[in-house]
Amino acid sequence: MASSQNFTFIFILLLLPSLSMPSCNTFSLSSNRLFDFCRDLPTLSSSLHWTYNTANSTLSIAFTASPASPNGWISWGINPTSTGMRGTQALLAFHRPDGSLTVETFNIAAYYPVLPLPIMFETWGLEAEYVAGEMQMFATVKLLQGMTELNQVWQVGASVTNGVPDKHEFGPQNLNSMAKLDVVTALVSANADSTLSEKNIHGVLNAVSWGILLPIGAMIARFLKAFRPKDTSWFHLHVSCQLIGYAVGVTGWATGLSLGSKSERVEYTTHRNLGIALFSLATLCLHCL
């Protein structure tokens, strides 16, 4: 009986954080603004409220998120050409030096520099408010005719310098802050990681190479030679394992280089340096065979 009560108590404790998290359906926007739809976005504790007018293809939105610091910024935008940050037509809210809030448009044609520029969509009603540590950004966007499924991108940052947002963090929440939005059906679906399959291949190839084949080849040379010193079959097995393992490792290393070239402004320095050192060492040892 006691164990059952303990289990129930632990279950309630685990459930409390999810119960305490506000949903966009229960969240009240400032000035009692109302929208037809709202969805909690998958990352950064953010939400989007919107109304889509089919008659004139206008999208009225309210994007809410907590900036990374009180002097930080929040951003929401539409990428008409792809699913990532580059190409996003963004709206960005932040504090001016005098403390007032402003919303600026940013056409993110490149990762750097990010400058306030006009975007391809006509916008009006750009406003922002800061309530209880959360920033609320309002805007109306004129979409292209028939454009009802959007690649939306959102982000938060910690600081602004001379009216330009400083770079955001590169944690999993930040890197995955993108999703598809159907403004008519209200369906929000996370964008698939285009490099996920390549990442899996990279991991499997290197695990097989450095974690299985090469260690087995080394053990063959260490132990089989000791048991059967006159039988040279151990040597052929050793060389086969090492050569196959190295070839698989080369393929895994090549996929790593490919992934690195696709990961602009995001560097896994320790992982990369260890990989280069291991591959160089293996290449040198190959000449000993």
Short mmCIF file of all heavy atoms in Angstrom, two decimals, residues 42-66:
data_model
loop_
_atom_site.label_atom_id
_atom_site.label_comp_id
_atom_site.label_asym_id
_atom_site.label_seq_id
_atom_site.Cartn_x
_atom_site.Cartn_y
_atom_site.Cartn_z
N PRO A 42 7.07 24.32 -30.94
CA PRO A 42 7.81 23.19 -30.35
C PRO A 42 8.99 23.56 -29.47
O PRO A 42 9.40 22.77 -28.63
CB PRO A 42 8.29 22.40 -31.59
CG PRO A 42 7.41 22.83 -32.71
CD PRO A 42 7.04 24.25 -32.41
N THR A 43 9.57 24.76 -29.66
CA THR A 43 10.79 25.10 -28.90
C THR A 43 10.71 26.52 -28.36
O THR A 43 9.86 27.32 -28.76
CB THR A 43 12.05 24.98 -29.79
OG1 THR A 43 11.95 25.97 -30.84
CG2 THR A 43 12.18 23.60 -30.40
N LEU A 44 11.63 26.82 -27.43
CA LEU A 44 11.84 28.16 -26.88
C LEU A 44 10.63 28.71 -26.13
O LEU A 44 10.50 29.93 -25.98
CB LEU A 44 12.25 29.14 -28.00
CG LEU A 44 13.57 28.79 -28.72
CD1 LEU A 44 13.82 29.77 -29.88
CD2 LEU A 44 14.74 28.81 -27.76
N SER A 45 9.75 27.83 -25.65
CA SER A 45 8.59 28.24 -24.84
C SER A 45 7.84 29.40 -25.48
O SER A 45 7.51 30.41 -24.85
CB SER A 45 9.04 28.63 -23.43
OG SER A 45 9.68 27.56 -22.79
N SER A 46 7.57 29.26 -26.76
CA SER A 46 6.96 30.34 -27.54
C SER A 46 5.61 29.88 -28.09
O SER A 46 5.30 28.68 -28.11
CB SER A 46 7.89 30.75 -28.68
OG SER A 46 8.27 29.62 -29.44
N SER A 47 4.84 30.85 -28.54
CA SER A 47 3.54 30.52 -29.12
C SER A 47 3.20 31.52 -30.22
O SER A 47 3.74 32.63 -30.26
CB SER A 47 2.44 30.53 -28.05
OG SER A 47 2.28 31.82 -27.51
N LEU A 48 2.32 31.09 -31.10
CA LEU A 48 1.88 31.94 -32.20
C LEU A 48 0.36 31.98 -32.22
O LEU A 48 -0.30 30.94 -32.19
CB LEU A 48 2.41 31.40 -33.54
CG LEU A 48 2.04 32.25 -34.76
CD1 LEU A 48 2.85 33.56 -34.75
CD2 LEU A 48 2.29 31.49 -36.06
N HIS A 49 -0.19 33.19 -32.27
CA HIS A 49 -1.63 33.42 -32.43
C HIS A 49 -1.81 34.07 -33.80
O HIS A 49 -1.03 34.94 -34.19
CB HIS A 49 -2.15 34.37 -31.35
CG HIS A 49 -1.84 33.92 -29.95
ND1 HIS A 49 -2.82 33.57 -29.05
CD2 HIS A 49 -0.66 33.80 -29.29
CE1 HIS A 49 -2.26 33.24 -27.90
NE2 HIS A 49 -0.95 33.38 -28.02
N TRP A 50 -2.85 33.68 -34.51
CA TRP A 50 -3.03 34.28 -35.84
C TRP A 50 -4.48 34.23 -36.31
O TRP A 50 -5.28 33.41 -35.86
CB TRP A 50 -2.12 33.61 -36.87
CG TRP A 50 -2.58 32.27 -37.36
CD1 TRP A 50 -3.34 32.00 -38.46
CD2 TRP A 50 -2.31 31.00 -36.76
NE1 TRP A 50 -3.55 30.66 -38.59
CE2 TRP A 50 -2.93 30.01 -37.56
CE3 TRP A 50 -1.61 30.58 -35.63
CZ2 TRP A 50 -2.87 28.66 -37.26
CZ3 TRP A 50 -1.54 29.24 -35.32
CH2 TRP A 50 -2.18 28.30 -36.14
N THR A 51 -4.75 35.12 -37.25
CA THR A 51 -6.01 35.14 -37.99
C THR A 51 -5.65 35.32 -39.47
O THR A 51 -4.90 36.24 -39.82
CB THR A 51 -6.91 36.30 -37.54
OG1 THR A 51 -7.29 36.09 -36.18
CG2 THR A 51 -8.16 36.38 -38.40
N TYR A 52 -6.18 34.45 -40.30
CA TYR A 52 -5.90 34.53 -41.74
C TYR A 52 -7.17 34.95 -42.47
O TYR A 52 -8.22 34.34 -42.32
CB TYR A 52 -5.41 33.19 -42.27
CG TYR A 52 -5.16 33.18 -43.76
CD1 TYR A 52 -4.14 33.95 -44.31
CD2 TYR A 52 -5.95 32.41 -44.61
CE1 TYR A 52 -3.90 33.96 -45.67
CE2 TYR A 52 -5.71 32.41 -45.99
CZ TYR A 52 -4.70 33.19 -46.50
OH TYR A 52 -4.46 33.20 -47.85
N ASN A 53 -7.04 36.01 -43.25
CA ASN A 53 -8.16 36.52 -44.03
C ASN A 53 -8.02 36.01 -45.46
O ASN A 53 -7.15 36.45 -46.21
CB ASN A 53 -8.15 38.06 -44.01
CG ASN A 53 -9.39 38.65 -44.62
OD1 ASN A 53 -9.97 38.09 -45.56
ND2 ASN A 53 -9.82 39.79 -44.10
N THR A 54 -8.88 35.07 -45.83
CA THR A 54 -8.78 34.47 -47.16
C THR A 54 -9.15 35.45 -48.27
O THR A 54 -8.72 35.29 -49.41
CB THR A 54 -9.71 33.24 -47.25
OG1 THR A 54 -11.05 33.63 -46.92
CG2 THR A 54 -9.26 32.15 -46.30
N ALA A 55 -9.91 36.46 -47.94
CA ALA A 55 -10.35 37.40 -48.97
C ALA A 55 -9.20 38.23 -49.52
O ALA A 55 -9.15 38.52 -50.72
CB ALA A 55 -11.44 38.31 -48.40
N ASN A 56 -8.28 38.63 -48.65
CA ASN A 56 -7.18 39.48 -49.11
C ASN A 56 -5.80 38.91 -48.79
O ASN A 56 -4.79 39.60 -48.92
CB ASN A 56 -7.30 40.89 -48.52
CG ASN A 56 -7.35 40.86 -46.99
OD1 ASN A 56 -7.05 39.85 -46.37
ND2 ASN A 56 -7.74 41.99 -46.42
N SER A 57 -5.75 37.64 -48.34
CA SER A 57 -4.48 36.93 -48.07
C SER A 57 -3.62 37.65 -47.03
O SER A 57 -2.39 37.69 -47.13
CB SER A 57 -3.67 36.75 -49.35
OG SER A 57 -4.38 36.00 -50.30
N THR A 58 -4.26 38.20 -46.01
CA THR A 58 -3.49 38.85 -44.94
C THR A 58 -3.46 37.95 -43.71
O THR A 58 -4.43 37.27 -43.38
CB THR A 58 -4.10 40.20 -44.55
OG1 THR A 58 -5.46 40.02 -44.17
CG2 THR A 58 -4.01 41.18 -45.71
N LEU A 59 -2.31 37.96 -43.06
CA LEU A 59 -2.10 37.15 -41.87
C LEU A 59 -1.78 38.08 -40.70
O LEU A 59 -0.74 38.76 -40.70
CB LEU A 59 -0.94 36.18 -42.09
CG LEU A 59 -0.57 35.25 -40.92
CD1 LEU A 59 -1.68 34.23 -40.70
CD2 LEU A 59 0.76 34.56 -41.18
N SER A 60 -2.69 38.14 -39.73
CA SER A 60 -2.45 38.92 -38.52
C SER A 60 -1.91 37.99 -37.45
O SER A 60 -2.51 36.94 -37.18
CB SER A 60 -3.74 39.60 -38.05
OG SER A 60 -4.23 40.47 -39.04
N ILE A 61 -0.77 38.34 -36.85
CA ILE A 61 -0.13 37.42 -35.91
C ILE A 61 0.22 38.12 -34.60
O ILE A 61 0.38 39.35 -34.54
CB ILE A 61 1.15 36.79 -36.52
CG1 ILE A 61 2.24 37.86 -36.77
CG2 ILE A 61 0.84 36.06 -37.80
CD1 ILE A 61 3.37 37.88 -35.81
N ALA A 62 0.32 37.29 -33.57
CA ALA A 62 0.92 37.69 -32.30
C ALA A 62 1.88 36.58 -31.93
O ALA A 62 1.46 35.44 -31.73
CB ALA A 62 -0.14 37.88 -31.22
N PHE A 63 3.15 36.92 -31.85
CA PHE A 63 4.18 35.94 -31.48
C PHE A 63 4.64 36.27 -30.06
O PHE A 63 4.97 37.42 -29.76
CB PHE A 63 5.35 36.00 -32.44
CG PHE A 63 6.52 35.15 -32.03
CD1 PHE A 63 6.44 33.76 -32.04
CD2 PHE A 63 7.71 35.73 -31.61
CE1 PHE A 63 7.51 32.98 -31.65
CE2 PHE A 63 8.78 34.96 -31.21
CZ PHE A 63 8.70 33.58 -31.23
N THR A 64 4.64 35.28 -29.19
CA THR A 64 5.04 35.50 -27.80
C THR A 64 6.19 34.58 -27.44
O THR A 64 6.19 33.39 -27.79
CB THR A 64 3.87 35.25 -26.84
OG1 THR A 64 3.53 33.85 -26.84
CG2 THR A 64 2.64 36.04 -27.24
N ALA A 65 7.17 35.12 -26.75
CA ALA A 65 8.32 34.35 -26.28
C ALA A 65 9.05 35.16 -25.22
O ALA A 65 8.90 36.39 -25.15
CB ALA A 65 9.26 34.00 -27.43
N SER A 66 9.83 34.47 -24.42
CA SER A 66 10.67 35.16 -23.43
C SER A 66 12.06 35.34 -24.02
O SER A 66 12.71 34.35 -24.37
CB SER A 66 10.75 34.34 -22.13
OG SER A 66 9.48 34.22 -21.54
#
